[in-house]
Amino acid sequence: MVKSFNISYVERKDLEDVSSEVSAYDPQRVLVQIFSGVLDKLVIEKLLAEMGELYPGVAVIGTSTAGEIADGEAVENTILVNFTLFEQATVKAALVIQNDDLYQAGRDIALGVRQGSDKAVIALGCGLKNHRTINGEPLLDGIRSACGEAVIAGGQAGDNGIGETTFVFTGEGITENGVAAASIAGERLTVNNTYNLSWVPIGKKLTITEANGPEVYTIDGLSPYDIYVHYLGQEVADGLPLSAADFPLIIERDGLPMAIHATGVNDDGSFTYIHNFYPGEQLRFGFCHAGLLALGAQTTHNEVRTFRPEALFVYSCVSRKWILGADISVELSAFADLAPSSGFFCYGEYYLHSTGKPYFFSQTMTVLSLREDSGSGVSEVNDYDPSVEESRQFKTMRVLHRLVDTSTREIEHMNAELARLANKDSLTSLANRRLFDETIDRELRRQGRSDAPFSLLLMDIDHFKDYNDSYGHVHGDDCLRAVSLVFRRLVKCPGDMVARYGGEEFACILSSTSHEGALALAEQIREGVEQLGIPHQASSVAGFVTLSVGVLTVHDTRGLTSQSVITACDQLLYEAKKQGRNMVVGKEIESFK
């Protein structure tokens, strides 16, 4: 059985008061987590020294916070010490004092705490670097690479919203640039983790049109600042990047909705976000839906209740506390009757999905549950009733959200239908097949009355079916949009047109363009798609998405049918694929006669 309890530390006597209880356990079966809203390192050093004297050999990990969580309540500016005592499981802690190479830091900390039969790794990472929130994703990938099947939980240190310095620590010391972690191993130990977002998307879908990693330059062709002004108003835009936490971008990745907020506004007009973005990805603004918070709390409560926990660790984003204020109790109190709980408000949360993939969340609450007994059956605790805590405003918000969400979906459906009727492909915003067929017939007739050459490009994304099979159709749609952005950026001449010809195949009509010019443009397009760097591990060509292109130039188009030109160009595209893909194959002919 796991035994867990919290104390509020002010002086040595607070630690001494629980010595008889803690000393009854082997030191290697004790985990101490310290969540400090007191940012004075001298106070922490004193506490660590006292812990070492009173409880030698006990694993201690700790972090500065943006608020503490104790038994279903949010507190501030305290030093919360949680003792978790195990009958059978063992604990091992370690400290890494660098975060310049986050992946390596993750591997090092995982190797430092690894015991061999680890069920959980709790990691506490520093939250800020150069006054910006750290993207903990590489750290989690590093931990995952070395910790086997252990569940990863925890979060990033806070500093009460000041945004200057965060720190983590163990009995080995304190660092502003590193990570502290503890592993828990035991045959009888059972672990569960879950999360609650409650930020919901609202408004129309937006498309990332230019981005480089976490730097976003344009969304729907506008600067991020202009997007915020247009949709959220000048007041929100003037408060950036801090106001972005209230209205994060919601994006779905691997089937999980994620809230991603801006962390910096750069001199070149780009915004820096806490995660990477890719051209073509679609997203919406989000807001913390207080009306759905209670329902999310109920769902999370019932999931955790079924697990029958003996100890709960809660790691919640500080944005939830800032935005919800006193209503944060609706979420936290859901666990008060299940098991002793402790945790903190952090600058990013660590979560391992059931698929085995680790995620770095923001604006999310995660819950790690532990027990050492068999856990058979369901706890006698009643289902959580959020109506006890929620206000009438919560219920009104749920109704309003349904109204807005239903209206938005209906508008998106109408826009898609209008785009189809307007000869535009609704997914890529390029010309559709119908408009292409009309245009190529017209251009062939027009070119037949002049001496100018006619050029056609047929382009196909290499192994796109394998891409869809590997990454799913949502990412497939993102890929098509990203590739279409390359076409729109490079094909600029009046009279030229790019169309989505079908599926992953595209066609480009180049009026009055020489063969040399058509080949040069085709190569620019091929390189542009390659430079997107969209991962494609299922491709036999490269580890990223590539494009094959066929280029046909005809000088005398009199009497030609569009089908004969398309068939000839399609044969060149076939040759490009046959010769290895990710290449341009062209041919110039005088006429078909």
Side-chain angles (χ1 to χ4, degrees):
M1 181 175 181
V2 180
K3 185 172 185 178
S4 182
F5 59 87
N6 302 311
I7 66 168
S8 179
Y9 169 84
V10 177
E11 57 184 17
R12 182 187 179 101
K13 183 178 183 301
D14 299 318
L15 300 176
E16 293 174 338
D17 288 344
V18 296
S19 61
S20 60
E21 200 164 6
V22 177
S23 298
Y25 286 77
D26 187 315
Q28 68 173 349
R29 303 195 189 284
V30 178
L31 170 64
V32 174
Q33 293 182 82
I34 301 173
F35 307 110
S36 180
V38 176
L39 305 180
D40 188 337
K41 290 183 185 177
L42 293 177
V43 174
I44 301 301
E45 289 174 353
K46 176 175 176 290
L47 168 57
L48 290 174
E50 293 169 352
M51 283 293 307
E53 293 171 5
L54 292 170
Y55 308 113
V58 165
V60 178
I61 59 172
T63 178
S64 58
T65 77
E68 302 79 63
I69 299 169
D71 295 319
E73 295 184 0
V75 294
E76 293 182 340
N77 302 313
T78 68
I79 299 179
L80 177 70
V81 182
N82 170 264
F83 290 87
T84 304
L85 316 174
F86 300 93
E87 284 187 356
Q88 181 267 338
T90 58
V91 185
K92 185 178 180 182
L95 180 70
V96 169
I97 57 172
Q98 71 86 14
N99 58 8
D100 293 324
D101 184 339
L102 281 170
Y103 182 84
Q104 189 60 50
R107 280 194 60 84
D108 290 344
I109 198 70
L111 294 172
V113 300
R114 192 164 65 182
Q115 301 182 68
S117 57
D118 307 291
K119 295 294 184 66
V121 173
I122 299 173
L124 305 174
C126 289
L128 297 174
K129 198 175 188 69
N130 300 323
H131 302 291
R132 291 192 177 183
T133 305
I134 292 171
N135 177 3
E137 200 167 89
L139 175 75
L140 298 181
D141 288 339
I143 294 174
R144 182 61 177 163
S145 71
C147 74
E149 300 301 317
V151 169
I152 303 170
Q156 294 192 164
D159 66 347
N160 292 325
I162 299 170
E164 291 184 357
T165 303
T166 63
F167 56 86
V168 297
F169 50 90
T170 69
E172 300 175 44
I174 305 174
T175 180
E176 297 177 4
N177 300 284
V179 56
S183 68
I184 312 172
E187 294 301 323
R188 285 171 42 202
L189 183 69
T190 307
V191 179
N192 178 69
N193 69 336
T194 188
Y195 76 100
N196 183 22
L197 178 59
S198 294
W199 252 262
V200 295
I202 190 170
K204 64 168 285 190
K205 289 181 179 178
L206 308 171
T207 301
I208 298 292
T209 45
E210 187 178 0
N212 182 17
E215 312 298 331
V216 173
Y217 296 92
T218 61
I219 302 173
D220 276 2
L222 299 174
S223 72
Y225 179 83
D226 289 339
I227 286 289
Y228 281 88
V229 170
H230 181 71
Y231 289 104
L232 302 179
Q234 192 67 50
E235 182 179 358
V236 171
D238 288 344
L240 293 167
L242 291 178
S243 59
D246 293 357
F247 302 97
L249 301 177
I250 304 294
I251 190 167
E252 184 175 299
R253 287 184 172 160
D254 303 317
L256 291 177
M258 299 177 66
I260 302 175
H261 65 272
T263 60
V265 177
N266 305 314
D267 293 338
D268 61 2
S270 66
F271 280 21
T272 300
Y273 286 84
I274 201 168
H275 280 274
N276 292 342
F277 281 111
Y278 305 96
E281 286 190 308
Q282 288 198 311
L283 41 82
R284 294 161 74 182
F285 280 110
F287 75 107
C288 188
H289 193 327
L292 294 181
L293 181 76
L295 296 182
Q298 182 179 31
T299 299
T300 306
H301 169 277
N302 291 338
E303 178 183 342
V304 173
R305 165 181 166 266
T306 302
F307 177 76
R308 295 191 63 184
E310 295 169 342
L312 296 174
F313 302 137
V314 181
Y315 309 102
S316 182
C317 183
V318 66
S319 297
R320 302 176 82 82
K321 185 180 72 166
W322 288 342
I323 294 170
L324 293 170
D327 287 334
I328 193 69
S329 64
V330 173
E331 184 167 65
L332 298 181
S333 63
F335 308 110
D337 62 348
L338 296 179
S341 63
S342 65
F344 74 112
F345 292 100
C346 43
Y347 289 173
E349 303 77 56
Y350 302 155
Y351 179 78
L352 185 74
H353 192 259
S354 58
T355 60
K357 180 177 174 60
Y359 288 90
F360 174 63
F361 284 151
S362 60
Q363 287 153 305
T364 304
M365 179 194 70
T366 65
V367 182
L368 178 69
S369 306
L370 305 177
R371 72 162 188 264
E372 277 190 314
D373 68 358
S374 63
S376 59
V378 177
S379 170
E380 295 301 320
V381 176
N382 294 327
D383 284 350
Y384 176 63
D385 182 3
S387 64
V388 175
E389 297 285 345
E390 70 172 333
S391 62
R392 181 177 180 181
Q393 182 183 12
F394 279 24
K395 300 170 185 176
T396 302
M397 286 288 288
R398 283 200 292 274
V399 176
L400 289 175
H401 174 257
R402 180 179 175 82
L403 171 64
V404 172
D405 192 54
T406 301
S407 300
T408 299
R409 281 188 278 108
E410 290 176 349
I411 291 170
E412 287 176 348
H413 177 76
M414 287 189 293
N415 285 342
E417 182 63 16
L418 288 171
R420 186 188 68 80
L421 295 174
N423 295 321
K424 182 183 289 186
D425 177 63
S426 60
L427 177 67
T428 64
S429 295
L430 299 174
N432 61 15
R433 176 68 178 271
R434 176 182 174 185
L435 181 58
F436 170 80
D437 290 340
E438 293 174 356
T439 303
I440 191 171
D441 285 335
R442 184 179 66 248
E443 287 300 307
L444 285 172
R445 290 193 300 269
R446 188 180 70 82
Q447 296 292 106
R449 298 190 295 269
S450 71
D451 296 327
F454 173 87
S455 293
L456 176 67
L457 277 58
L458 286 181
M459 304 167 284
D460 200 25
I461 300 175
D462 296 324
H463 300 299
F464 188 71
K465 181 181 183 301
D466 295 332
Y467 185 92
N468 268 337
D469 291 344
S470 298
Y471 297 92
H473 289 278
V474 172
H475 287 288
D477 289 348
D478 290 342
C479 176
L480 291 172
R481 278 188 290 268
V483 170
S484 72
L485 290 172
V486 175
F487 302 149
R488 290 162 63 184
R489 174 167 56 86
L490 295 175
V491 181
K492 299 179 180 178
C493 293
D496 295 346
M497 187 192 75
V498 185
R500 186 179 179 195
Y501 190 70
E504 71 275 18
E505 194 168 14
F506 300 86
C508 179
I509 296 172
L510 301 177
S511 301
S512 304
T513 301
S514 68
H515 190 56
E516 292 76 11
L519 286 173
L521 177 60
E523 182 60 24
Q524 288 178 343
I525 291 173
R526 187 199 66 78
E527 291 179 352
V529 171
E530 190 176 71
Q531 289 167 5
L532 289 173
I534 300 172
H536 189 355
Q537 298 303 318
S539 172
S540 61
V541 181
F544 43 83
V545 169
T546 57
L547 192 75
S548 296
V549 188
V551 181
L552 177 69
T553 303
V554 184
H555 287 271
D556 184 358
T557 64
R558 288 174 296 180
L560 288 182
T561 65
S562 59
Q563 189 56 53
S564 63
V565 174
I566 292 169
T567 299
C569 191
D570 193 50
Q571 182 61 38
L572 297 172
L573 175 59
Y574 173 77
E575 287 297 323
K577 295 179 181 180
K578 184 178 178 181
Q579 294 178 32
R581 302 179 188 259
N582 191 25
M583 66 174 61
V584 176
V585 172
K587 184 177 182 180
E588 182 178 20
I589 59 176
E590 184 63 30
S591 71
F592 279 35
K593 298 174 183 177

